[in-house]
Amino acid sequence: MLETKCSNMRDLKQLHAQVIKTGLAHDTIALSRVLAFCATSPMGDINYAMLLFSHIQHPNPFTWNTIIRGFSHSSMPHQAISLFFHMLLHSPIQPQRLTYPPLFRAYAQLALADEGAPLHARILKLGLESDPFIHNSLIFMYAICGYLAHARLLFNENSAFDIVSWNSMILGLARNGEVDDSRRLFDRMPMRNTISWNSMISGYVGNGRYKEALDLFHQMQNARVEPSAHTMASLLGACTCLGALQQGEWIHAYMEQNDIETNLILLTAIIDMYCKCGRVDKALQVFEDAPRKGLSSWNSIISGLAIHGCGEEAIQIFSRLQSSLQPDHVSFLGILTACNHSGMVDEAQYYFSLMIKTYKIQPTIKHYSCMVDLLGRAGQLEEAEELINNSMPIDPDVVILGSLLSACRNHGNIEIGERVAKQIIKLDPRESCSYVLLSNAYAATGRFTDAVGMRQMMKEKHVWKDPGCSSVEVDGVVHEFVADGRLHPRAKEIHVLLDELGLMLKEAGHLENATMDLLDFDRL
């Protein structure tokens, strides 16, 4: 078998050259075997597969199915659909039952179930609806795309237990916010595999229910189910969002002890977890020790250094990235954030220009927001307003305007602050930040009547500010806190300690900003 000689793309290309030399270039069977490895193997290359396919003079059904399946699992699922219609219109080969499942997967990947529905109708006309592979792929397409009524109908038609259809329903329900229904279905399963557990854990993480994701992982361990790299990536994401460093470290150690391969996705997740849990030193160690680094890994460490104010270190890493790979828009957002958090205005302007002129990357609203925030922090409010009003090719959103308004509050510039606040209120009258920030700006400059008036306007328009929320991990337990909240079981002790810390700050010479006393208008 030709394909058994290949273990990577280098071997594949050498084998292809051998096929051509030996006069087998027109042997459809030989080329189909090479194509199969190239299109469907994890070590393959879908672009090279397409090149091979284009040189096959008379593709057979196996060849068509192979290239369609390859694209349906790639980052270009739309190509699978295009090839299918090309086969229908320009080839004597008719689709077989194995042609359809990858097509429904492609429609699912593209969130185009409405366009996949006519293909479903074709299946019904051909009498193939009872085929288990087709049936499961239809459930997957409808469930992932949020057509839950269609998915449930197909699921209920399948009287025999099929773990693939159950997994598709669990994943689809969770992805569309029906995480409790997803869990009820999970609990009803007569049997589960790793995909079942992964689907439920990732569903919890995707819906912000991180503690439940970690609890389910412990149940997975008790059930003696081997976790996969996908499981670890979801759990690391949960730890990152919770700031649960100890649990994140435990998961990292678990991966090493159980020889779970650290692929590029996991490498990025580990770096991100350590950075966002405050251990940038550990993140750097993991990054430097990695034998292979993808662009996402470089971007993650640059962004991690950025949020910790390590501007110089981020610039050094970015320079190394430029020598290894081509940075993308995420890379530049990371380095601009690093300059922002370190107050490097000149450096940020250099990288902003480099992104546009050298790398031909069009800035997004996030890049402009970063530059506006940096200029605002530096007190260059006129320059920031100029950038928004005259340099941006896109309309500003509430976030970027709110950033400038916050800077106006901090620097006491009421004139620009009022203009910006009016823009925010025009964009979104229900957005509380404009009222609160302008009110604070008035208070900071002694215009208390105007400050109270802004808060009164909020009440009249029924605009409410959502309370701040944070979490911290202590001895492996994650504690959540809400601004002015009293629901924590040790709330009284916490507030007593805060009062003591306030007294200690005063004794150390800290002067309280008296203008901020009127900023809590909730009781007015």
Side-chain angles (χ1 to χ4, degrees), residues 298-365:
W298 288 91
N299 290 346
S300 183
I301 192 64
I302 291 170
S303 298
L305 290 165
I307 62 177
H308 287 280
C310 305
E312 294 291 347
E313 293 87 342
I315 287 174
Q316 291 173 12
I317 296 287
F318 187 85
S319 297
R320 288 168 54 191
L321 165 61
Q322 287 179 286
S323 302
S324 304
L325 298 168
Q326 180 161 316
D328 64 0
H329 68 284
V330 179
S331 315
F332 278 101
L333 183 60
I335 196 63
L336 290 175
T337 303
C339 294
N340 185 1
H341 287 203
S342 299
M344 300 176 173
V345 178
D346 293 339
E347 291 84 348
Q349 290 175 331
Y350 163 74
Y351 286 114
F352 192 73
S353 176
L354 182 73
M355 174 177 65
I356 299 170
K357 295 179 179 178
T358 303
Y359 289 96
K360 310 299 180 186
I361 297 174
Q362 181 63 39
T364 67
I365 191 73

Side-chain angles (χ1 to χ4, degrees), residues 105-173:
R105 176 185 177 85
Y107 281 117
Q109 298 288 88
L110 296 167
L112 294 174
D114 53 339
E115 294 189 18
L119 196 62
H120 182 190
R122 179 185 175 91
I123 292 296
L124 295 174
K125 288 181 181 178
L126 294 172
L128 297 173
E129 68 274 12
S130 61
D131 181 275
F133 295 105
I134 293 175
H135 193 87
N136 287 337
S137 63
L138 279 166
I139 294 173
F140 180 78
M141 179 186 73
Y142 286 124
I144 294 300
C145 293
Y147 290 70
L148 299 180
H150 294 71
R152 283 190 177 100
L153 184 63
L154 288 167
F155 178 76
N156 293 331
E157 286 177 359
N158 188 11
S159 56
F161 175 75
D162 189 323
I163 197 168
V164 176
S165 60
W166 284 69
N167 289 343
S168 295
M169 283 301 302
I170 289 168
L171 184 60
L173 288 165

